[in-house]
Amino acid sequence: MKLEDFHYDLPKELIAQFPLAKRDRSRLLVLDRSTGRIRHRRFADIVEFFEPADALVLNNTRVFKARLKGRKETGGGIEILLVRKLESGNWEALVHSSKRLHEGAKILLADNSSATVVSKEPGKCVVQFNTPAEKVIEKQ
């Protein structure tokens, strides 16, 4: 299997921009694996397709604009992907930089905002913002 097997054109006008007011009216594509038959239904009909041993897993996470672009004081580009807010008010983040990033490094963001690398572990770090991160996210 190749990654390009998953590429297809999806016109922007076919992508929902907002959820329906009545979520159970959203569309449901049903594929019968044994025959390959495809049917179009509504999500409210989903219970018709469950067998006794099936489980339904719900994901109630919310998406937020967690990717911030900035630069190091030396001028190099940097990208921060916020993962979760910590009890301390700092943020766990994934940081992509052209060169190594060290604890104490300052990251310059939009509108004179900045973040400082508080701690660094393999694959992630903790950053502290000089203004609330939510305000920085709004400006990006």
Side-chain angles (χ1 to χ4, degrees):
M1 191 175 296
K2 297 179 182 174
L3 185 60
E4 56 263 13
D5 293 341
F6 297 97
H7 288 269
Y8 57 92
D9 289 323
L10 181 59
K12 188 170 183 168
E13 64 271 9
L14 296 180
I15 302 171
Q17 301 300 307
F18 303 98
L20 293 175
K22 295 183 179 183
R23 300 273 177 107
D24 65 337
R25 299 295 301 150
S26 61
R27 293 170 35 174
L28 177 68
L29 184 142
V30 180
L31 169 66
D32 183 331
R33 289 186 187 188
S34 62
T35 65
R37 180 177 171 223
I38 294 176
R39 291 183 284 166
H40 298 277
R41 303 290 295 270
R42 297 283 175 199
F43 188 78
D45 303 327
I46 197 167
V47 294
E48 296 175 24
F49 305 100
F50 285 109
E51 297 295 329
D54 290 344
L56 175 64
V57 178
L58 300 176
N59 178 350
N60 65 353
T61 57
R62 296 195 178 266
V63 176
F64 68 101
K65 295 179 181 179
R67 191 175 308 275
L68 304 173
K69 293 191 179 198
R71 57 184 172 79
K72 294 186 273 187
E73 290 181 296
T74 58
I78 193 163
E79 186 174 276
I80 302 172
L81 178 62
L82 300 177
V83 176
R84 67 185 175 101
K85 189 173 185 176
L86 304 173
E87 288 182 19
S88 64
N90 294 339
W91 283 79
E92 181 179 319
L94 304 175
V95 179
H96 182 272
S97 176
S98 58
K99 292 188 180 176
R100 262 201 152 143
L101 198 60
H102 301 284
E103 289 183 11
K106 189 172 182 181
I107 303 166
L108 307 173
L109 302 164
D111 295 338
N112 296 322
S113 297
S114 66
T116 303
V117 177
V118 175
S119 65
K120 187 154 178 23
E121 297 175 23
K124 65 180 179 180
C125 66
V126 174
V127 294
Q128 178 181 43
F129 290 89
N130 70 334
T131 58
E134 294 80 6
K135 290 186 179 183
V136 177
I137 292 167
E138 288 175 13
K139 295 174 185 176
Q140 290 281 315

